[in-house]
Amino acid sequence: MDAIPPMSRRSALALAGAATGSLAVAAPDSPGHADLVLHSGVVWTGEHGNGTAQAVAVKGARIVAVGSDRRVLRWAGPRTRRIDLRGAFVAPGFRDQHTHLIQTAVGGAGAQAYRPVFTPYDEREAFEARRRNGQRHVEIHARGETPVDRGAHSPVTEKLKNDLLVMQEEVAKQGVSTVVEAGLRDLGALDALFQLAEEGRLKVRFLVRVAWGCIEEAARMGLRTGVGNEWVKVLGVKLYSDGWLGPRTAALRKPYSDDPYGFPRGGILFLDQERADRDVARARELGFNVTTHAIGDRGVRVALTAYERNGVSPRDRWALEHVQVAEDDLIERMIRRGVIASIQFSFATTDQRFAERALGRHRLRHAYRWRDMLRARVPMVGGSDFANEVLDPLWGLQRVVTRTEFDGTPPGGWLPDQRLDVPTALRLITSRAAFASLEEHERGTIEPGKYADLVVLRENPLTVAPTGSPAPPA
């Protein structure tokens, strides 16, 4: 599987539950009057075993039946909307576990900012431009985020709400039904989203991790993990352990193999162990689930130690964002504590431009090792890191499956032994993402009783002919 269908070949039909609240679901064999029936397609349920069906029926916000055309069409009544899929592929709505969509909208970005157009981001050139302009202290550590930011609370205006709705339209076009905001710095935007939910104007679900600088204000507002509704909900808080590999600020146990910018040779650690322990303890005290930006192995070690000292367990669903350099000892610790690795699919090709220079060939075997993590049973979930990368989940899927760009470069793929197979990658942005967000009982697979968050693709990504060697099952 090499060529994932691009946006131009994707159906515009992306469905999300249009109502909230519970629904008494009839037994799958009990005919009734569904509001919607999709039939004559390939319905990938997302459950283990790669099960598929032909049809799915929806009543209100929930799925009421999944199975053969003959079985599911029994739910169709005179007022049921029937859609003949004509062989199209149906999957659980895509979920993006790491975005900066809301904060981008707060900045007033227009619709064009959300178009699925790929503009290569030259990290070295962009960083050096900042340094020449005297901005060395800004954004040197990560992609456009500032851990020292203390947050804001902009007033809710019609412009802010309209900017959020513009952003939502572009997200829905990508087939994304749920997004996680990775570190919201402006809690006014959260107020705006709650208002839009109350007005019935949302069709994408928003899970929000507030930035660390906002945690005390968020707590005073009565926010904590789980507060919200079916459209907007607080997921937790985001911390920063270290920087980023591009400008050589991710914190490593051993010095970088090159030194293009003159920063400390082992990178920059934003949280020493004492501070990390204290911040994680405070987050737990206030009732926030925790994720931590941790790219280098030293940054990962500090975050994991803080989690362990605060008694994290698999039921907490705490996570690490990026986890790009991790030796076996760190992976084993993640497994023991059930710490989730939140990876970004497009990094499977984007970072090839600098990773080997930064880490050296020998250390590269401990980097971007997502297949190794999955085989070791590290909990894992996928995302985009928009707006630093393209939002389109199929764009990311192409890269994590093939480890190549669309033009087939590099030949054979970058670190090809870490490629993921298509079903595994799809699960990382559907069922596993729902699990990481404490929503596995409500969303993430297509089965009776769950919300009807669905996406329809004109082509089946499980059967698209590969142009190279497909990834074996993980």
Side-chain angles (χ1 to χ4, degrees):
M1 161 71 193
D2 271 35
I4 302 296
M7 182 64 192
S8 61
R9 298 158 73 186
R10 184 183 318 176
S11 169
L13 178 61
L15 308 171
T20 61
S22 61
L23 174 70
V25 180
D29 291 323
S30 300
H33 290 169
D35 297 315
L36 172 69
V37 171
L38 306 177
H39 63 92
S40 303
V42 178
V43 180
W44 184 73
T45 65
E47 299 177 272
H48 289 294
N50 293 327
T52 59
Q54 292 178 299
V56 56
V58 178
K59 187 173 184 178
R62 306 260 185 173
I63 297 166
V64 292
V66 182
S68 66
D69 284 342
R70 180 178 179 182
R71 180 182 179 187
V72 174
L73 282 168
R74 297 173 63 199
W75 286 85
R79 297 185 179 181
T80 300
R81 182 187 179 196
R82 307 184 192 196
I83 296 180
D84 185 345
L85 294 168
R86 300 181 181 180
F89 182 82
V90 182
F94 296 142
R95 303 171 65 99
D96 193 322
Q97 203 70 12
H98 187 119
T99 76
H100 303 284
L101 284 155
I102 301 172
Q103 199 65 50
T104 301
V106 170
Q112 187 61 36
Y114 309 104
R115 301 297 183 196
V117 176
F118 179 63
T119 303
Y121 180 82
D122 189 325
E123 296 83 2
R124 180 184 294 268
E125 180 178 343
F127 172 75
E128 290 179 344
R130 293 191 196 101
R131 184 170 62 174
R132 287 194 300 270
N133 292 332
Q135 299 176 11
R136 179 172 177 170
H137 64 292
V138 179
E139 298 179 1
I140 61 173
H141 54 283
R143 304 183 182 207
E145 302 166 276
T146 315
V148 297
D149 185 83
R150 293 304 177 209
H153 201 122
S154 298
V156 176
T157 63
E158 286 303 311
K159 180 182 184 306
L160 174 57
K161 290 163 70 174
N162 287 334
D163 286 341
L164 289 167
L165 290 174
V166 168
M167 175 267 295
Q168 174 184 245
E169 288 300 316
E170 297 301 327
V171 172
K173 289 177 184 177
Q174 308 289 333
V176 177
S177 62
T178 302
V179 296
V180 174
E181 181 76 4
L184 182 64
R185 304 190 300 274
D186 192 324
L187 297 182
L190 188 56
D191 288 340
L193 285 170
F194 278 125
Q195 287 189 21
L196 290 170
E198 291 173 1
E199 295 164 7
R201 301 171 72 184
L202 294 184
K203 53 187 173 183
V204 171
R205 306 186 194 278
F206 294 90
L207 302 177
V208 176
R209 290 189 183 276
V210 301
W212 171 256
C214 304
I215 191 172
E216 298 295 339
E217 180 185 358
R220 287 192 294 271
M221 294 168 59
L223 301 179
R224 63 185 185 280
T225 293
V227 169
N229 53 50
E230 296 301 333
W231 293 102
V232 183
K233 188 179 297 182
V234 176
L235 181 57
V237 67
K238 181 184 177 186
L239 285 70
Y240 279 85
S241 177
D242 66 347
W244 173 46
L245 280 178
R248 313 305 193 265
T249 54
L252 301 179
R253 287 165 157 171
K254 296 180 180 179
Y256 280 92
S257 293
D258 63 354
D259 183 23
Y261 304 121
F263 292 122
R265 291 296 306 276
I268 299 175
L269 196 62
F270 292 110
L271 292 177
D272 61 28
Q273 194 62 64
E274 181 181 356
R275 174 66 184 272
D277 295 348
R278 184 171 68 250
D279 288 357
V280 169
R282 182 59 173 162
R284 182 183 280 284
E285 179 185 4
L286 294 175
F288 288 89
N289 172 293
V290 178
T291 196
T292 304
H293 169 114
I295 287 180
D297 49 12
R298 185 160 56 114
V300 170
R301 182 181 65 192
V302 167
L304 278 177
T305 300
Y307 288 5
E308 291 165 345
R309 290 177 178 176
N310 281 278
V312 70
S313 71
R315 68 175 178 273
D316 292 314
R317 315 280 173 89
W318 288 12
L320 296 176
E321 302 296 325
H322 311 305
V323 202
Q324 288 164 233
V325 184
E327 292 84 354
D328 290 347
D329 65 310
L330 299 176
I331 289 176
E332 290 168 4
R333 290 169 66 183
M334 293 179 71
I335 295 168
R336 286 197 301 271
R337 295 287 182 165
V339 175
I340 296 165
S342 175
I343 67 168
Q344 290 65 53
F345 282 2
S346 289
F347 290 8
T349 57
T350 298
D351 289 9
Q352 66 179 301
R353 289 170 290 173
F354 56 80
E356 185 170 339
R357 294 194 304 272
L359 299 174
R361 184 177 297 273
H362 177 74
R363 191 162 37 180
L364 201 60
R365 65 190 177 92
H366 296 300
Y368 306 87
R369 51 188 310 198
W370 301 333
R371 180 174 161 79
D372 286 349
M373 290 183 180
L374 281 169
R375 294 183 71 179
R377 300 192 181 279
V378 173
M380 190 173 288
V381 66
S384 67
D385 201 3
F386 178 90
N388 301 299
E389 295 283 349
V390 175
L391 177 69
D392 188 342
L394 297 188
W395 185 275
L397 192 66
Q398 157 77 20
R399 279 147 178 73
V400 79
V401 167
T402 68
R403 310 287 295 213
T404 66
E405 300 288 347
F406 278 123
D407 62 2
T409 58
W414 185 59
L415 304 178
D417 60 325
Q418 297 301 319
R419 292 175 301 179
L420 304 183
D421 63 278
V422 178
T424 297
L426 283 174
R427 286 195 183 93
L428 296 189
I429 55 173
T430 54
S431 60
R432 300 313 296 166
F435 173 86
S437 298
L438 304 165
E439 293 191 326
E440 70 272 22
H441 299 301
E442 297 288 331
R443 303 181 183 88
T445 58
I446 300 177
E447 53 186 312
K450 290 194 174 181
Y451 279 93
D453 294 0
L454 309 172
V455 62
V456 178
L457 308 180
R458 291 178 180 171
E459 296 185 62
N460 184 342
L462 302 176
T463 60
V464 172
T467 58
S469 300

